[in-house]
Amino acid sequence: MAISFDKALGVHEDAMRFRGHRAAVLANNLANADTPNYKARDIDFQSALAEKMNPQNKAIELQTTHQSHREAQGLLVDDGGLKYRTPQQPSIDGNTVEEQVEHGQYMENSLAFQASFTFLNSKFKGLIGAIKGE
């Protein structure tokens, strides 16, 4: 009987991948805290999880209004779930990064990553125990 890692690990593998991507986005926000007109971005975990659980083809549907227009085929929307963050106190230079908020989100994301890692570790220990017949 073959072991299906997708069934055994569930969404936790994808959750770790998502948390790693979100850490990069939050680190990018922090790196650009002093860049004028930089807009802070973040990923909404709930929408990313819902998209992963119910994948759909997000093809862009374009309407041709002139006979010279061509059909867009194979064009997909893939923004990675990135959304702009609304600042609580906007800065004068147009930058929307709030360092305290970004640090807090980064720490929360790190804790969630560690929790997913710990859960996956226990899953792998269970699989090893099943393989050894323990």
Side-chain angles (χ1 to χ4, degrees):
M1 177 181 210
I3 296 174
S4 171
F5 284 107
D6 290 336
K7 289 181 182 177
L9 303 179
V11 299
H12 299 289
E13 177 187 4
D14 294 322
M16 283 189 64
R17 190 174 297 114
F18 164 79
R19 296 291 179 193
H21 180 65
R22 185 170 185 228
V25 170
L26 293 172
N28 191 34
N29 287 346
L30 286 167
N32 287 292
D34 295 327
T35 305
N37 295 317
Y38 180 81
K39 307 300 181 209
R41 299 191 78 176
D42 200 356
I43 302 172
D44 181 21
F45 180 75
Q46 296 299 331
S47 64
L49 181 63
E51 181 180 319
K52 184 64 181 173
M53 300 303 286
N54 187 14
Q56 296 174 355
N57 187 4
K58 293 182 170 182
I60 297 175
E61 305 225 0
L62 300 177
Q63 181 180 9
T64 57
T65 57
H66 190 271
Q67 63 186 7
S68 298
H69 291 168
R70 298 183 182 255
E71 289 286 326
Q73 297 176 359
L75 190 60
L76 298 176
V77 176
D78 186 17
D79 62 355
L82 290 175
K83 300 192 184 321
Y84 291 101
R85 188 186 309 272
T86 304
Q88 296 174 3
Q89 186 173 353
S91 65
I92 295 172
D93 67 355
N95 188 310
T96 62
V97 176
E98 296 174 314
E99 289 188 52
Q100 297 83 2
V101 172
E102 299 299 326
H103 280 289
Q105 292 295 320
Y106 193 86
M107 290 306 297
E108 179 183 325
N109 188 60
S110 296
L111 289 172
F113 183 89
Q114 186 62 38
S116 292
F117 182 78
T118 302
F119 190 81
L120 274 177
N121 191 28
S122 68
K123 286 281 196 177
F124 277 116
K125 284 181 181 177
L127 288 173
I128 290 172
I131 291 170
K132 289 181 178 179
E134 296 175 351

